[in-house]
PDB file of all heavy atoms in Angstrom:
ATOM      1  N   GLY A 372      79.746 -58.485  40.152  1.00  0.00           N
ATOM      2  CA  GLY A 372      78.913 -58.569  41.348  1.00  0.00           C
ATOM      3  C   GLY A 372      79.182 -57.468  42.360  1.00  0.00           C
ATOM      4  O   GLY A 372      79.066 -57.685  43.574  1.00  0.00           O
ATOM      5  N   PHE A 373      79.529 -56.278  41.885  1.00  0.00           N
ATOM      6  CA  PHE A 373      79.816 -55.175  42.798  1.00  0.00           C
ATOM      7  C   PHE A 373      78.548 -54.718  43.527  1.00  0.00           C
ATOM      8  O   PHE A 373      77.469 -54.680  42.937  1.00  0.00           O
ATOM      9  CB  PHE A 373      80.410 -53.978  42.045  1.00  0.00           C
ATOM     10  CG  PHE A 373      81.777 -54.231  41.462  1.00  0.00           C
ATOM     11  CD1 PHE A 373      82.188 -53.574  40.299  1.00  0.00           C
ATOM     12  CD2 PHE A 373      82.666 -55.110  42.072  1.00  0.00           C
ATOM     13  CE1 PHE A 373      83.444 -53.793  39.752  1.00  0.00           C
ATOM     14  CE2 PHE A 373      83.937 -55.333  41.542  1.00  0.00           C
ATOM     15  CZ  PHE A 373      84.319 -54.676  40.381  1.00  0.00           C
ATOM     16  N   ASP A 374      78.698 -54.358  44.792  1.00  0.00           N
ATOM     17  CA  ASP A 374      77.587 -53.874  45.613  1.00  0.00           C
ATOM     18  C   ASP A 374      77.722 -52.356  45.767  1.00  0.00           C
ATOM     19  O   ASP A 374      78.394 -51.869  46.667  1.00  0.00           O
ATOM     20  CB  ASP A 374      77.627 -54.570  46.989  1.00  0.00           C
ATOM     21  CG  ASP A 374      76.501 -54.099  47.894  1.00  0.00           C
ATOM     22  OD1 ASP A 374      75.505 -53.575  47.361  1.00  0.00           O
ATOM     23  OD2 ASP A 374      76.631 -54.236  49.128  1.00  0.00           O
ATOM     24  N   TYR A 375      77.088 -51.619  44.853  1.00  0.00           N
ATOM     25  CA  TYR A 375      77.197 -50.165  44.881  1.00  0.00           C
ATOM     26  C   TYR A 375      76.379 -49.563  46.020  1.00  0.00           C
ATOM     27  O   TYR A 375      75.290 -50.029  46.328  1.00  0.00           O
ATOM     28  CB  TYR A 375      76.722 -49.550  43.557  1.00  0.00           C
ATOM     29  CG  TYR A 375      77.602 -49.850  42.361  1.00  0.00           C
ATOM     30  CD1 TYR A 375      77.096 -49.759  41.064  1.00  0.00           C
ATOM     31  CD2 TYR A 375      78.935 -50.214  42.507  1.00  0.00           C
ATOM     32  CE1 TYR A 375      77.884 -50.018  39.943  1.00  0.00           C
ATOM     33  CE2 TYR A 375      79.736 -50.469  41.405  1.00  0.00           C
ATOM     34  CZ  TYR A 375      79.209 -50.377  40.126  1.00  0.00           C
ATOM     35  OH  TYR A 375      79.998 -50.633  39.032  1.00  0.00           O
ATOM     36  N   GLN A 376      76.908 -48.501  46.606  1.00  0.00           N
ATOM     37  CA  GLN A 376      76.199 -47.812  47.689  1.00  0.00           C
ATOM     38  C   GLN A 376      75.631 -46.465  47.260  1.00  0.00           C
ATOM     39  O   GLN A 376      74.936 -45.807  48.026  1.00  0.00           O
ATOM     40  CB  GLN A 376      77.153 -47.644  48.888  1.00  0.00           C
ATOM     41  CG  GLN A 376      77.516 -48.996  49.506  1.00  0.00           C
ATOM     42  CD  GLN A 376      78.593 -48.889  50.574  1.00  0.00           C
ATOM     43  OE1 GLN A 376      78.630 -47.931  51.326  1.00  0.00           O
ATOM     44  NE2 GLN A 376      79.458 -49.890  50.638  1.00  0.00           N
ATOM     45  N   THR A 377      75.964 -46.049  46.032  1.00  0.00           N
ATOM     46  CA  THR A 377      75.414 -44.808  45.477  1.00  0.00           C
ATOM     47  C   THR A 377      75.021 -45.067  44.026  1.00  0.00           C
ATOM     48  O   THR A 377      75.236 -46.172  43.509  1.00  0.00           O
ATOM     49  CB  THR A 377      76.454 -43.655  45.489  1.00  0.00           C
ATOM     50  OG1 THR A 377      77.450 -43.934  44.488  1.00  0.00           O
ATOM     51  CG2 THR A 377      77.105 -43.511  46.852  1.00  0.00           C
ATOM     52  N   LEU A 378      74.470 -44.038  43.391  1.00  0.00           N
ATOM     53  CA  LEU A 378      74.159 -44.131  41.952  1.00  0.00           C
ATOM     54  C   LEU A 378      75.250 -43.463  41.111  1.00  0.00           C
ATOM     55  O   LEU A 378      75.101 -43.304  39.910  1.00  0.00           O
ATOM     56  CB  LEU A 378      72.814 -43.446  41.656  1.00  0.00           C
ATOM     57  CG  LEU A 378      71.589 -44.023  42.368  1.00  0.00           C
ATOM     58  CD1 LEU A 378      70.355 -43.185  42.061  1.00  0.00           C
ATOM     59  CD2 LEU A 378      71.368 -45.476  41.965  1.00  0.00           C
ATOM     60  N   VAL A 379      76.350 -43.082  41.747  1.00  0.00           N
ATOM     61  CA  VAL A 379      77.430 -42.379  41.056  1.00  0.00           C
ATOM     62  C   VAL A 379      78.238 -43.365  40.217  1.00  0.00           C
ATOM     63  O   VAL A 379      78.742 -44.363  40.736  1.00  0.00           O
ATOM     64  CB  VAL A 379      78.350 -41.674  42.077  1.00  0.00           C
ATOM     65  CG1 VAL A 379      79.488 -40.954  41.373  1.00  0.00           C
ATOM     66  CG2 VAL A 379      77.556 -40.702  42.926  1.00  0.00           C
ATOM     67  N   ASP A 380      78.367 -43.086  38.935  1.00  0.00           N
ATOM     68  CA  ASP A 380      79.094 -43.999  38.039  1.00  0.00           C
ATOM     69  C   ASP A 380      80.535 -44.197  38.484  1.00  0.00           C
ATOM     70  O   ASP A 380      81.104 -45.272  38.350  1.00  0.00           O
ATOM     71  CB  ASP A 380      79.044 -43.493  36.594  1.00  0.00           C
ATOM     72  CG  ASP A 380      79.468 -42.041  36.442  1.00  0.00           C
ATOM     73  OD1 ASP A 380      78.730 -41.147  36.895  1.00  0.00           O
ATOM     74  OD2 ASP A 380      80.542 -41.796  35.875  1.00  0.00           O
ATOM     75  N   GLY A 381      81.161 -43.152  39.045  1.00  0.00           N
ATOM     76  CA  GLY A 381      82.566 -43.238  39.451  1.00  0.00           C
ATOM     77  C   GLY A 381      82.832 -44.155  40.628  1.00  0.00           C
ATOM     78  O   GLY A 381      83.987 -44.536  40.865  1.00  0.00           O
ATOM     79  N   GLU A 382      81.781 -44.536  41.367  1.00  0.00           N
ATOM     80  CA  GLU A 382      81.990 -45.452  42.500  1.00  0.00           C
ATOM     81  C   GLU A 382      82.648 -46.752  42.052  1.00  0.00           C
ATOM     82  O   GLU A 382      83.376 -47.401  42.811  1.00  0.00           O
ATOM     83  CB  GLU A 382      80.666 -45.742  43.225  1.00  0.00           C
ATOM     84  CG  GLU A 382      80.867 -46.551  44.498  1.00  0.00           C
ATOM     85  CD  GLU A 382      79.579 -47.054  45.137  1.00  0.00           C
ATOM     86  OE1 GLU A 382      78.529 -46.407  44.971  1.00  0.00           O
ATOM     87  OE2 GLU A 382      79.623 -48.119  45.813  1.00  0.00           O
ATOM     88  N   VAL A 383      82.427 -47.129  40.783  1.00  0.00           N
ATOM     89  CA  VAL A 383      83.002 -48.375  40.268  1.00  0.00           C
ATOM     90  C   VAL A 383      84.526 -48.370  40.376  1.00  0.00           C
ATOM     91  O   VAL A 383      85.161 -49.421  40.487  1.00  0.00           O
ATOM     92  CB  VAL A 383      82.550 -48.629  38.809  1.00  0.00           C
ATOM     93  CG1 VAL A 383      83.183 -47.635  37.834  1.00  0.00           C
ATOM     94  CG2 VAL A 383      82.883 -50.054  38.379  1.00  0.00           C
ATOM     95  N   ILE A 384      85.150 -47.186  40.342  1.00  0.00           N
ATOM     96  CA  ILE A 384      86.612 -47.101  40.448  1.00  0.00           C
ATOM     97  C   ILE A 384      87.094 -47.702  41.766  1.00  0.00           C
ATOM     98  O   ILE A 384      88.091 -48.439  41.810  1.00  0.00           O
ATOM     99  CB  ILE A 384      87.074 -45.628  40.304  1.00  0.00           C
ATOM    100  CG1 ILE A 384      86.757 -45.107  38.884  1.00  0.00           C
ATOM    101  CG2 ILE A 384      88.564 -45.474  40.614  1.00  0.00           C
ATOM    102  CD1 ILE A 384      86.918 -43.602  38.712  1.00  0.00           C
ATOM    103  N   LEU A 385      86.376 -47.436  42.853  1.00  0.00           N
ATOM    104  CA  LEU A 385      86.737 -47.994  44.165  1.00  0.00           C
ATOM    105  C   LEU A 385      86.648 -49.514  44.154  1.00  0.00           C
ATOM    106  O   LEU A 385      87.523 -50.212  44.666  1.00  0.00           O
ATOM    107  CB  LEU A 385      85.810 -47.434  45.251  1.00  0.00           C
ATOM    108  CG  LEU A 385      85.800 -45.905  45.430  1.00  0.00           C
ATOM    109  CD1 LEU A 385      84.758 -45.502  46.463  1.00  0.00           C
ATOM    110  CD2 LEU A 385      87.173 -45.395  45.827  1.00  0.00           C
ATOM    111  N   HIS A 386      85.574 -50.047  43.567  1.00  0.00           N
ATOM    112  CA  HIS A 386      85.357 -51.502  43.546  1.00  0.00           C
ATOM    113  C   HIS A 386      86.375 -52.200  42.647  1.00  0.00           C
ATOM    114  O   HIS A 386      86.886 -53.268  42.995  1.00  0.00           O
ATOM    115  CB  HIS A 386      83.928 -51.807  43.089  1.00  0.00           C
ATOM    116  CG  HIS A 386      82.883 -51.317  44.043  1.00  0.00           C
ATOM    117  ND1 HIS A 386      82.352 -52.111  45.041  1.00  0.00           N
ATOM    118  CD2 HIS A 386      82.285 -50.113  44.161  1.00  0.00           C
ATOM    119  CE1 HIS A 386      81.459 -51.415  45.733  1.00  0.00           C
ATOM    120  NE2 HIS A 386      81.396 -50.203  45.218  1.00  0.00           N
ATOM    121  N   LEU A 387      86.653 -51.605  41.487  1.00  0.00           N
ATOM    122  CA  LEU A 387      87.650 -52.194  40.586  1.00  0.00           C
ATOM    123  C   LEU A 387      89.027 -52.212  41.239  1.00  0.00           C
ATOM    124  O   LEU A 387      89.755 -53.208  41.164  1.00  0.00           O
ATOM    125  CB  LEU A 387      87.722 -51.403  39.276  1.00  0.00           C
ATOM    126  CG  LEU A 387      86.669 -51.703  38.202  1.00  0.00           C
ATOM    127  CD1 LEU A 387      86.782 -50.692  37.071  1.00  0.00           C
ATOM    128  CD2 LEU A 387      86.807 -53.122  37.663  1.00  0.00           C
ATOM    129  N   TYR A 388      89.382 -51.117  41.892  1.00  0.00           N
ATOM    130  CA  TYR A 388      90.693 -51.042  42.549  1.00  0.00           C
ATOM    131  C   TYR A 388      90.796 -52.091  43.660  1.00  0.00           C
ATOM    132  O   TYR A 388      91.817 -52.775  43.775  1.00  0.00           O
ATOM    133  CB  TYR A 388      90.912 -49.640  43.117  1.00  0.00           C
ATOM    134  CG  TYR A 388      92.131 -49.546  44.007  1.00  0.00           C
ATOM    135  CD1 TYR A 388      93.412 -49.581  43.466  1.00  0.00           C
ATOM    136  CD2 TYR A 388      92.004 -49.466  45.397  1.00  0.00           C
ATOM    137  CE1 TYR A 388      94.536 -49.529  44.279  1.00  0.00           C
ATOM    138  CE2 TYR A 388      93.122 -49.406  46.215  1.00  0.00           C
ATOM    139  CZ  TYR A 388      94.383 -49.445  45.654  1.00  0.00           C
ATOM    140  OH  TYR A 388      95.493 -49.403  46.463  1.00  0.00           O
ATOM    141  N   ASN A 389      89.750 -52.218  44.442  1.00  0.00           N
ATOM    142  CA  ASN A 389      89.760 -53.204  45.528  1.00  0.00           C
ATOM    143  C   ASN A 389      89.880 -54.623  44.984  1.00  0.00           C
ATOM    144  O   ASN A 389      90.524 -55.482  45.581  1.00  0.00           O
ATOM    145  CB  ASN A 389      88.479 -53.080  46.357  1.00  0.00           C
ATOM    146  CG  ASN A 389      88.423 -54.090  47.483  1.00  0.00           C
ATOM    147  OD1 ASN A 389      89.175 -54.016  48.443  1.00  0.00           O
ATOM    148  ND2 ASN A 389      87.533 -55.071  47.360  1.00  0.00           N
ATOM    149  N   ARG A 390      89.284 -54.840  43.806  1.00  0.00           N
ATOM    150  CA  ARG A 390      89.281 -56.192  43.221  1.00  0.00           C
ATOM    151  C   ARG A 390      90.597 -56.542  42.540  1.00  0.00           C
ATOM    152  O   ARG A 390      91.097 -57.655  42.666  1.00  0.00           O
ATOM    153  CB  ARG A 390      88.144 -56.295  42.192  1.00  0.00           C
ATOM    154  CG  ARG A 390      88.012 -57.671  41.558  1.00  0.00           C
ATOM    155  CD  ARG A 390      86.945 -57.670  40.481  1.00  0.00           C
ATOM    156  NE  ARG A 390      86.828 -59.009  39.906  1.00  0.00           N
ATOM    157  CZ  ARG A 390      87.611 -59.490  38.943  1.00  0.00           C
ATOM    158  NH1 ARG A 390      88.576 -58.724  38.443  1.00  0.00           N
ATOM    159  NH2 ARG A 390      87.444 -60.725  38.481  1.00  0.00           N
ATOM    160  N   GLY A 391      91.176 -55.572  41.785  1.00  0.00           N
ATOM    161  CA  GLY A 391      92.320 -55.966  40.960  1.00  0.00           C
ATOM    162  C   GLY A 391      93.456 -54.966  40.864  1.00  0.00           C
ATOM    163  O   GLY A 391      94.351 -55.130  40.028  1.00  0.00           O
ATOM    164  N   GLY A 392      93.419 -53.890  41.665  1.00  0.00           N
ATOM    165  CA  GLY A 392      94.519 -52.927  41.614  1.00  0.00           C
ATOM    166  C   GLY A 392      94.333 -51.871  40.542  1.00  0.00           C
ATOM    167  O   GLY A 392      93.374 -51.889  39.770  1.00  0.00           O
ATOM    168  N   ILE A 393      95.290 -50.971  40.471  1.00  0.00           N
ATOM    169  CA  ILE A 393      95.157 -49.786  39.620  1.00  0.00           C
ATOM    170  C   ILE A 393      95.250 -50.109  38.128  1.00  0.00           C
ATOM    171  O   ILE A 393      94.562 -49.485  37.306  1.00  0.00           O
ATOM    172  CB  ILE A 393      96.205 -48.711  40.008  1.00  0.00           C
ATOM    173  CG1 ILE A 393      95.908 -47.381  39.282  1.00  0.00           C
ATOM    174  CG2 ILE A 393      97.621 -49.181  39.738  1.00  0.00           C
ATOM    175  CD1 ILE A 393      94.590 -46.735  39.655  1.00  0.00           C
ATOM    176  N   GLU A 394      96.066 -51.061  37.734  1.00  0.00           N
ATOM    177  CA  GLU A 394      96.205 -51.397  36.302  1.00  0.00           C
ATOM    178  C   GLU A 394      94.871 -51.852  35.725  1.00  0.00           C
ATOM    179  O   GLU A 394      94.426 -51.367  34.685  1.00  0.00           O
ATOM    180  CB  GLU A 394      97.256 -52.498  36.122  1.00  0.00           C
ATOM    181  CG  GLU A 394      97.384 -53.024  34.683  1.00  0.00           C
ATOM    182  CD  GLU A 394      98.378 -52.239  33.842  1.00  0.00           C
ATOM    183  OE1 GLU A 394      99.440 -51.871  34.359  1.00  0.00           O
ATOM    184  OE2 GLU A 394      98.073 -52.006  32.661  1.00  0.00           O
ATOM    185  N   GLN A 395      94.223 -52.795  36.430  1.00  0.00           N
ATOM    186  CA  GLN A 395      92.923 -53.274  35.942  1.00  0.00           C
ATOM    187  C   GLN A 395      91.874 -52.160  36.005  1.00  0.00           C
ATOM    188  O   GLN A 395      91.048 -52.035  35.108  1.00  0.00           O
ATOM    189  CB  GLN A 395      92.440 -54.470  36.778  1.00  0.00           C
ATOM    190  CG  GLN A 395      91.171 -55.085  36.189  1.00  0.00           C
ATOM    191  CD  GLN A 395      90.492 -56.055  37.135  1.00  0.00           C
ATOM    192  OE1 GLN A 395      90.014 -55.682  38.188  1.00  0.00           O
ATOM    193  NE2 GLN A 395      90.470 -57.327  36.747  1.00  0.00           N
ATOM    194  N   THR A 396      91.945 -51.352  37.028  1.00  0.00           N
ATOM    195  CA  THR A 396      90.965 -50.271  37.176  1.00  0.00           C
ATOM    196  C   THR A 396      90.996 -49.351  35.964  1.00  0.00           C
ATOM    197  O   THR A 396      89.970 -49.117  35.308  1.00  0.00           O
ATOM    198  CB  THR A 396      91.255 -49.447  38.448  1.00  0.00           C
ATOM    199  OG1 THR A 396      91.214 -50.317  39.574  1.00  0.00           O
ATOM    200  CG2 THR A 396      90.232 -48.338  38.636  1.00  0.00           C
ATOM    201  N   ALA A 397      92.155 -48.817  35.650  1.00  0.00           N
ATOM    202  CA  ALA A 397      92.268 -47.876  34.535  1.00  0.00           C
ATOM    203  C   ALA A 397      91.890 -48.535  33.204  1.00  0.00           C
ATOM    204  O   ALA A 397      91.235 -47.919  32.362  1.00  0.00           O
ATOM    205  CB  ALA A 397      93.690 -47.321  34.473  1.00  0.00           C
ATOM    206  N   SER A 398      92.278 -49.784  33.030  1.00  0.00           N
ATOM    207  CA  SER A 398      92.068 -50.475  31.746  1.00  0.00           C
ATOM    208  C   SER A 398      90.612 -50.868  31.509  1.00  0.00           C
ATOM    209  O   SER A 398      90.185 -51.011  30.360  1.00  0.00           O
ATOM    210  CB  SER A 398      92.940 -51.735  31.684  1.00  0.00           C
ATOM    211  OG  SER A 398      94.293 -51.403  31.816  1.00  0.00           O
ATOM    212  N   MET A 399      89.853 -51.054  32.579  1.00  0.00           N
ATOM    213  CA  MET A 399      88.477 -51.535  32.436  1.00  0.00           C
ATOM    214  C   MET A 399      87.444 -50.414  32.363  1.00  0.00           C
ATOM    215  O   MET A 399      86.259 -50.671  32.179  1.00  0.00           O
ATOM    216  CB  MET A 399      88.121 -52.462  33.597  1.00  0.00           C
ATOM    217  CG  MET A 399      88.824 -53.812  33.565  1.00  0.00           C
ATOM    218  SD  MET A 399      88.444 -54.776  32.069  1.00  0.00           S
ATOM    219  CE  MET A 399      86.757 -55.287  32.412  1.00  0.00           C
ATOM    220  N   LEU A 400      87.876 -49.168  32.507  1.00  0.00           N
ATOM    221  CA  LEU A 400      86.929 -48.055  32.501  1.00  0.00           C
ATOM    222  C   LEU A 400      86.625 -47.614  31.070  1.00  0.00           C
ATOM    223  O   LEU A 400      87.512 -47.162  30.354  1.00  0.00           O
ATOM    224  CB  LEU A 400      87.491 -46.872  33.290  1.00  0.00           C
ATOM    225  CG  LEU A 400      87.748 -47.117  34.782  1.00  0.00           C
ATOM    226  CD1 LEU A 400      88.425 -45.896  35.403  1.00  0.00           C
ATOM    227  CD2 LEU A 400      86.465 -47.456  35.526  1.00  0.00           C
ATOM    228  N   ASP A 401      85.372 -47.752  30.672  1.00  0.00           N
ATOM    229  CA  ASP A 401      84.931 -47.265  29.371  1.00  0.00           C
ATOM    230  C   ASP A 401      84.322 -45.885  29.596  1.00  0.00           C
ATOM    231  O   ASP A 401      83.206 -45.769  30.109  1.00  0.00           O
ATOM    232  CB  ASP A 401      83.894 -48.215  28.766  1.00  0.00           C
ATOM    233  CG  ASP A 401      83.435 -47.770  27.381  1.00  0.00           C
ATOM    234  OD1 ASP A 401      84.002 -46.793  26.853  1.00  0.00           O
ATOM    235  OD2 ASP A 401      82.507 -48.392  26.834  1.00  0.00           O
ATOM    236  N   GLY A 402      85.059 -44.874  29.246  1.00  0.00           N
ATOM    237  CA  GLY A 402      84.536 -43.534  29.463  1.00  0.00           C
ATOM    238  C   GLY A 402      85.617 -42.493  29.349  1.00  0.00           C
ATOM    239  O   GLY A 402      86.678 -42.726  28.772  1.00  0.00           O
ATOM    240  N   VAL A 403      85.339 -41.338  29.910  1.00  0.00           N
ATOM    241  CA  VAL A 403      86.325 -40.256  29.969  1.00  0.00           C
ATOM    242  C   VAL A 403      86.537 -39.934  31.433  1.00  0.00           C
ATOM    243  O   VAL A 403      85.590 -39.869  32.209  1.00  0.00           O
ATOM    244  CB  VAL A 403      85.841 -39.015  29.181  1.00  0.00           C
ATOM    245  CG1 VAL A 403      85.775 -39.332  27.697  1.00  0.00           C
ATOM    246  CG2 VAL A 403      84.482 -38.525  29.663  1.00  0.00           C
TER     247      VAL A 403
END
Side-chain angles (χ1 to χ4, degrees):
F373 293 150
D374 180 21
Y375 292 158
Q376 294 173 36
T377 72
L378 299 176
V379 179
D380 51 290
E382 187 189 332
V383 70
I384 295 169
L385 301 176
H386 295 267
L387 278 172
Y388 170 73
N389 179 69
R390 182 184 181 277
I393 190 64
E394 174 89 40
Q395 187 193 65
T396 302
S398 301
M399 289 300 287
L400 297 175
D401 182 6
V403 293

